[in-house]
């Protein structure tokens, strides 16, 4: 489901289930937003938001989460397909409106085409944040698999990782992913991987525009694009991290 404004979730465990869908699919939460529009009678000011800090903590997912292979054309054309062991997609606004994931574990297999991770598929902030820890002390034990796609003309599949697929913002810098670990393999089963990029693949994060610190990966990373033990494509800061897994191209 959808996590609404100013909500907290904690101590939820799921096990041995199967969840699939087209967009914003998660083992615990489908999508989460940490802001809402302020309304003046029937007029909506698109530039005015009220933010809130929400926390998702001590949750454990044991469900397998996958994309629906027969997805509609509009999902293919405009993205979608955000999958996460805990939450599929997250959107925030600024320091006053963000969501924190703390002490969450994923044990389910996450398999899809576009943006997905063991904890969060896509974490996006409209504006930059500072001194904010968004994902902390989370661990992934479930396999992360890039499935063969019926859309084999697609040059860039997206981003996939043990913790967070994409960690990005449209302006400024993201917050921090700290003390997280990926304990299992991340692999590509894309049928034309030898001639097509599979996008960004990392043990912790696929595409990073924030700070990743004190994180570790021990799983084998196997993909055909921008690939790294910690991060597939880094546009910001990585410090004090350890990779003990192989990277195979």
């Amino acid at each position: 489901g959808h996590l609404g404004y100013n909500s907290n979730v904690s101590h939820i465990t799921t096990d041995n289930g199967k969840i699939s869908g087209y967009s914003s699919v998660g083992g615990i939460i489908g999508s989460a937003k940490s802001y809402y529009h302020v309304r003046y009678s029937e007029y909506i000011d698109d530039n005015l938001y009220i933010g809130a800090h929400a926390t998702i903590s001590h949750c454990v997912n044991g469900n397998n989460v996958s994309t629906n292979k027969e997805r509609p054309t509009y999902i293919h054309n405009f993205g979608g397909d955000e999958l996460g062991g805990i939450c599929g997609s997250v959107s925030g606004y600024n320091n006053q409106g963000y969501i924190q994931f703390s002490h969450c574990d994923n044990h389910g297999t996450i398999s899809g085409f576009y943006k997905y991770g063991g904890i969060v598929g896509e974490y996006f902030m409209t504006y930059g944040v500072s001194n904010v820890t968004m994902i902390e002390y989370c661990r992934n034990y479930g396999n992360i698999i890039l499935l063969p796609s019926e859309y084999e003309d697609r040059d860039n599949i997206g981003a996939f990782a043990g913790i967070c697929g994409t960690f990005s913002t449209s302006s400024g810098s993201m917050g921090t992913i700290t003390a997280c670990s990926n304990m299992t393999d991340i692999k590509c089963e894309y049928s034309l991987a030898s001639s097509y990029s599979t996008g960004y693949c990392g043990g912790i994060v696929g595409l990073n525009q924030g700070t990743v610190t004190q994180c570790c990966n021990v799983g084998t990373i196997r993909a055909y694009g921008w690939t790294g033990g910690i991060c597939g494509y880094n546009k910001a800061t990585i410090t004090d991290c350890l990779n003990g897994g192989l990277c195979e191209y």
Side-chain angles (χ1 to χ4, degrees), residues 134-152:
M134 293 175 166
I135 306 176
E136 63 175 6
Y137 303 108
C138 293
R139 298 169 294 183
N140 176 57
Y141 297 94
N143 290 326
I144 308 296
I145 301 173
L146 175 61
L147 294 173
S149 173
E150 71 272 33
Y151 299 108
E152 293 179 341

Side-chain angles (χ1 to χ4, degrees), residues 3-26:
L3 179 68
Y5 168 76
N6 206 20
S7 301
N8 294 317
V9 176
S10 65
H11 296 89
I12 293 178
T13 299
T14 63
D15 194 17
N16 296 325
K18 295 181 179 180
I19 300 175
S20 65
Y22 297 125
S23 182
S24 298
V25 183

Side-chain angles (χ1 to χ4, degrees), residues 181-185 203 216-221 229 242-246:
S181 56
N182 175 58
M183 310 302 294
T184 190
D185 294 345
C216 70
N217 168 64
V218 297
T220 296
I221 313 297
L242 173 66
N243 175 49
L246 297 174

Side-chain angles (χ1 to χ4, degrees), residues 112-192:
F113 300 128
Y114 194 45
K115 299 176 182 178
Y116 53 106
I119 303 300
V120 179
E122 178 183 39
Y123 200 133
F124 176 77
M125 296 290 291
T126 302
Y127 292 102
V129 297
S130 60
N131 302 317
V132 170
T133 299
M134 293 175 166
I135 306 176
E136 63 175 6
Y137 303 108
C138 293
R139 298 169 294 183
N140 176 57
Y141 297 94
N143 290 326
I144 308 296
I145 301 173
L146 175 61
L147 294 173
S149 173
E150 71 272 33
Y151 299 108
E152 293 179 341
D153 61 337
R154 192 170 185 166
D155 291 334
N156 193 333
I157 296 299
F160 54 116
I163 300 299
C164 184
T166 61
F167 193 58
S168 62
T169 178
S170 60
S171 175
S173 177
M174 281 291 282
T176 301
I177 298 175
T178 186
C180 294
S181 56
N182 175 58
M183 310 302 294
T184 190
D185 294 345
I186 301 173
K187 62 182 180 178
C188 167
E189 292 185 355
Y190 188 52
S191 60
L192 294 182

Side-chain angles (χ1 to χ4, degrees), residues 56 86-87 90 99-102 119-120 123 134-136 138:
I56 300 169
I86 302 299
C87 183
V90 179
I99 294 174
Q100 182 184 66
F101 295 81
S102 180
I119 303 300
V120 179
Y123 200 133
M134 293 175 166
I135 306 176
E136 63 175 6
C138 293

